[in-house]
Amino acid sequence: MSWEFFLVTLITIGVAFGGLMGTIAYLILVERRLAAFIQDRYGPNRVGWAGLLQPIADGAKFLLKEDVIPGYVNKTLYILGPSIAVFTAMAGFAIIPFGPVDQAPSWMRFVIAPDVNIGMIYIFCVGSLGVYGVILGGWASNNKYSSLGSMRASAQVVSYEIPLGMSIIGVVLMTSSLSLNDILMHQANQGVLGWNVWTQPLALLIFFVSALAETNRLPFDLSECEQELVGGFHTEYSSMKFALYFLGEYAHIITVCFLTAILFFGGWQFPLIAEADSAYLGATLVKVVVLLTKVLMIILLIMFIRWTIPRFRFDQLMNLAWLGLIPMAAMNILVVMTAKQFDWPIWTLPLGSLAIFVAAGLIGTSGKFIVSDQTVDFSESPEGYVHVHS
Amino acid sequence: MAEELTPISNDDVVWMEEPEMGFWESTFLPAIFSGLKNSLRHVTDFKPVTQQYPEEKPDLPLNYRGVHRLNRDDKGRVKCVACMMCSTACPARCIDIVAEEVPKDDPLWADRDKRPKTFVIDELKCIYCGMCEEACPVDSIELTHIYDLTGFTRQDMKFNKEKLLEVFDQTKDNPRDPIRTHRGVLGPASDFTSLPPVGPATQIPQGDKASKPVSTDVIKQG
């Protein structure tokens, strides 16, 4: 391993890490402003022009606030919680290509850890480890609200890791590779119609919904529950440790948005301006911009969803995952496997997705989706109590 | 016995069924997209309702109760006659008055017997209920529309006679804070010619214990 490789790795880590941190800081501002606009407010607009210095003020506040560690907590685990949350989120970002890797200049290769063959598995491994930070934080806080929040988080992860993993199996089968760059190139070589969003819309839907749950975003942020309950796993956390949790969460969101763009929306590929064989001056830069634009669009969609869909109740969340998403994801895998085995043309895949979707809707319409054949009998209750027969 | 314990008769119970979910409803997607469209419309058609406070002062209702003032009469003297009615009426006991007799040889005070030597209101203790205003027989103490009062110490927030008169000088020309000089007339509450009818909040069914008049041996009955 030459020293140049080492140097390039250091530069890449510096650029990616710094860019990620700055992006997170400013995405929080974007989210606050957007939330304000959706709710007919102004949002933070005092610090700097249009509130542009607000992230710096927030950061300064997080650093200067008193760092409280309650006396009754397990100190080691309490501090370990946010560290794990941030560490796993950053480690997950390591294999995300944020530009065209094969055309990268020598001093910057657009990915921190290149050529990871098991990229998808690595991302899901590291990403699901992030919930350990939440569980650990909630448990070490020695507080029943915190531990309930972390319980909800762990139950949620149990439900949502499965459809998340299952939804991308179709994409992986299509490409015969787990490497993100291979999946990207497979789509880029086929042009805009080769994007996986056309061939596997159902997989995109399942992946996106599970990813929202995985990153603890609304409507699935049961582990936080700030409005309805006292709080979630972070009840006892203050100042920078609190901020680290949400830094990790936001980094995770960015990772997931990169994944969505790369797996389903063709990564940096865009018709006419950024094709796989385009070699005009600055094409690399254009590809980076295209990818980042796609990612930004998905992040904005997630922000919109936050203020559109109310938070799911716990049983609704479980119902959706176990009775809705997992069977649909399993059926989708079956369809892709069958199509690949018998060499069916590519247009059978979206038809298969549509068929599964319609079938799920029809099952929901017939009322067998949610188990409720309870009858209420009031007549034989002279005391006025209600007997429920199931 | 069994009849009596039934809270309402079974015929009066209407059982509502949750409507069956249609095809599109059970797929969730149309509802989500229409919701997203609604959210987006708020961004594209942005009509903020926020009041930008320090620049835009809020338009308070006319009966808003803010900082007190001590009115002056037409000779510029403090109107207060130190009768202690306001401090007696005050539920928070934040008004402290020390009275003194007026100097006999001063022609300015010839028509008065008493005046406040000191008059201190602790604005931090005050609950701004307006009872002092109601109690004052000479309409001397009144509440103004000043709401943004601040101070660096607790002592700053104890308003003495001079400061309260200063508040009067500040606010007397403001049309929102008119000087109410209706000597001999009862307070603003007397302006009501009729009171709204007061009835039970919910219908009490016949035979309910609550609808019976309270008897002395209510405990034995129960």
Side-chain angles (χ1 to χ4, degrees), chain A residues 230-248:
Chain A
V230 177
F233 62 93
H234 52 61
T235 314
E236 301 289 342
Y237 282 92
S238 58
S239 73
M240 203 60 206
K241 289 200 290 299
F242 177 85
L244 282 182
Y245 263 124
F246 288 91
L247 217 62

Side-chain angles (χ1 to χ4, degrees), chain A residues 23-76:
Chain A
T23 315
I24 290 170
Y26 274 90
L27 274 181
I28 290 172
L29 176 71
V30 169
E31 168 146 36
R32 289 174 69 185
R33 291 283 278 176
L34 196 67
F37 288 157
I38 292 173
Q39 297 173 335
D40 292 334
R41 300 184 279 115
Y42 283 110
N45 60 351
R46 297 272 159 170
V47 191
W49 182 79
L52 278 181
L53 295 180
Q54 184 72 37
I56 293 158
D58 284 346
K61 187 181 145 194
F62 275 130
L63 287 172
L64 295 175
K65 267 184 114 170
E66 188 187 358
D67 200 19
V68 183
I69 297 181
Y72 46 79
V73 300
N74 186 333
K75 219 169 170 178
T76 322

Side-chain angles (χ1 to χ4, degrees), chain B residues 206-217:
Chain B
Q206 288 271 315
D208 195 289
K209 224 186 282 177
S211 67
K212 290 179 185 143
V214 182
S215 58
T216 46
D217 52 353

Side-chain angles (χ1 to χ4, degrees), chain B residues 93-114:
Chain B
R93 304 193 178 183
C94 62
I95 306 177
D96 182 58
I97 305 171
V98 176
E100 68 174 357
E101 271 186 48
V102 295
K104 290 288 176 220
D105 47 350
D106 192 344
L108 185 65
W109 293 92
D111 56 342
R112 289 267 200 96
D113 290 333
K114 254 166 79 184

Side-chain angles (χ1 to χ4, degrees), chain A residues 32-45, chain B residues 38-50 52:
Chain A
R32 289 174 69 185
R33 291 283 278 176
L34 196 67
F37 288 157
I38 292 173
Q39 297 173 335
D40 292 334
R41 300 184 279 115
Y42 283 110
N45 60 351
Chain B
N38 201 357
S39 298
L40 192 67
R41 213 186 53 223
H42 278 272
V43 178
T44 51
D45 187 17
F46 179 48
K47 288 197 193 76
V49 294
T50 320
Q52 299 289 84

